Amino acid sequence: MDTPSGLSSRMSNVIASVLPKIATTVGERSSKGPAKIDLATAENWLARRELIDIYKQAIAQDLDPQTLSYPQGFGGDPELLSALASFLNTYFRPAIPVEESHIAVAAGASSCLDQLLYTICDAGDSVLVPAPYWNGFDFHLTLRTAVDIVRVSCDSLSHTVSSSLLSALDAVYNATPKPIRIKALIFTNPHNPFGQCYPETCIRDVLRWCGHRRIHFVGDEVYGISEFRRGSPDDRFVSALNLLSAETQRDIKNRVDSNSLDGEANVVSRYEESMDGTSDTHREIGLHRPNGDGQEGNGIDISLVHTIWSLSKDFGCSGLRMATLISQNNDSLLTGVRLLSTPLLSCPSMLMAKALFSSEKLHAIVKLTRVRLARAYQIVEAQLKRWEIEMVEPRAGVFVWARLLKASQHERFTIATKGALKDDVSEGRDMQQIEKLRNNGVLISPGQQYHLAAWPREQGWVRITFAVEESELREGLRIIETTLGLGKRRRDVGPDEEEKERSKRRSLGSTLSAASNPASIMS
C-alpha cells in the first residue's frame, strides 16, 4: 500500500517507531550551538593522539591509487584479514586459532549485527537480549530484519551479570508461544551498561543452553580489551572464543579414553598439529559430532557460535566504521554476511585498521589505554563516593552505572509505602534532571533507556562515560554537582533517614561487584 510520502509501508513504520526514540540525539549531533560535554556517548578518547600518529603515517606511506578503488578480497582486504587474525589470537586467546577464513569484515558492529541477523533470521523471528541492554539494539536489530526483540530479565537487577541468567533464559523460552522462532541470543560481554564481565562458568552454560536449542549465540565483545581493573578470577573477561576448543579438547579426551593406545596417539597427534598450525585438522576436530545431532558431546555447537568485535570501543575509532565477525565453523553464514558487507567496506578505513593491527606500538597502546581508563574511572569513582551515590563498579569498558538522579521527599515516601512509582512519574522526574543537565552543558544517558521495566524500584540510574579528556571529565562532574546539588546533605531528609539511606545506597553496587579487591592494570 502506498503511503502519502511515497515511502514503503515498511520504512514508514520504521520511521514512526524509531525516530521519536533518537530525536534528542539527532538534534544534539545536528546542533550548531556550543558543544556540550558528552558523557553519554560510549566513546573512548583516551588514546586518540597516539592512534592519529599511526594513521597519519599509514596514509603518508601507503595511500596509493589502488586505495581509491573497490575493496580487494571478499569480506575484507586479505592483508587486513591476516592482521586481524593475529590480533584476535593475541588478545582474545581463542582456543581454536582464528584464521582468515573465519572472519568477515563489516562497516561497524551495528552493521555487522544487522547483516548477521539478516542472514540467520526471517521477518517475525525472535532474538533474545538480556536486559538491561544498550538501547541502540532496539533499532539496529530491527530496522531491516523485522525481528522481534525478546527481553530476558533476571529476578533482581543485581543478578544480571551472573549465572542467574540461565533460569531467566529458561523462563522466557518456556513462556514463548513459538520457541522455534527464537533464532539468536545477543550476549554482550563485557556488559553494557554495567561494565562487568560474565563469569566463565556462566558463559559456558549459556553456550550449551544455545546449543541444545539450536539458537545462535552472538557474542558482542566490543569492549573485550578495555579491561582496566580486576578482582577475583570470576571478574575477568573471557571471550566465548576461549571456551570452544577447551570443551572440544575434553570431548577428544573422552573419546581417547574409550579407544586403543594407537587411537590415542593418532587423535592427540592430530590435535597438537592443529594447534601449532602444521595441519588444518582443528576445524575437523571442532566438527566432531559424537551425538549425531549436530552438537558436540558437551552441548556446544561451534557452528552456532559467532563473535563480533570492532574498532569503535576498545580503540575509540567509531568513525572508521570497522568491525569483524568471527565464526569458526559456518562457512555458509560467513558467505551470507560477506555478500552484504563487502560493498559497504571503505578502503581508507581498512588501510588504517591494517596499519594499527600491524604496528609495533599496538601492545603499548592497549596498555596505555587501560592505564588511562583506570585513571579516569578513579576520578569518577571518587566523586560518586563523595556524593554518596550508589554505583556498580565496572571492570571493563568506558562508563559507570550510577544512581545519580535523586527522588523528592514525596517520591521516596511513595516508594517506601507502595513499593514503586508509576513508570511515567519516575521517568518524567529522571528526564527533568537529565534535561536540566543538558541545558547546563552536560550529556549523560538516562537509565530507563536501558529497559529497567522488570525492576520498578530501580529508578534514578544513569550511565556516565568517563573515557574523555581529564579536563573535560572534571568540568562535566563539576556541572553535575552544581546542577543536581550533590555533595551536601539534602535539607528535606532528617539525620536518621539519611543514615538509613546511606546504608542502603551502595547495596546494589556491592552485590554486583566482587568483594573489594585492589584495582590492577593487566599486562
Side-chain angles (χ1 to χ4, degrees), residues 192-212:
N192 181 0
F194 286 177
Q196 296 194 319
C197 304
Y198 282 92
E200 178 180 332
T201 53
C202 175
I203 304 169
R204 184 179 291 111
D205 287 343
V206 172
L207 287 166
R208 289 173 178 151
W209 188 92
C210 289
H212 284 306

Side-chain angles (χ1 to χ4, degrees), residues 37 39 440 442 469-481:
I37 296 176
L39 306 183
N440 286 343
V442 173
E469 295 288 348
E470 182 172 330
S471 59
E472 191 170 336
L473 178 60
R474 290 188 181 279
E475 176 63 10
L477 293 172
R478 185 195 66 78
I479 294 173
I480 290 172
E481 177 174 85

Side-chain angles (χ1 to χ4, degrees), residues 493-506:
V493 180
D496 292 340
E497 185 179 351
E498 185 177 66
E499 183 59 36
K500 290 178 182 178
E501 285 190 359
R502 187 177 298 145
S503 65
K504 295 177 182 178
R505 199 164 281 146
R506 299 182 186 89

Side-chain angles (χ1 to χ4, degrees), residues 10-26:
R10 178 184 61 246
M11 182 51 69
S12 295
N13 291 336
V14 166
I15 291 174
S17 63
V18 171
L19 194 57
K21 300 176 183 177
I22 64 173
T24 300
T25 301
V26 171

Side-chain angles (χ1 to χ4, degrees), residues 326-340:
I326 307 101
S327 187
Q328 296 187 291
N329 192 24
N330 199 322
D331 291 340
S332 296
L333 180 145
L334 285 170
T335 298
V337 172
R338 288 168 182 150
L339 284 170
L340 296 168

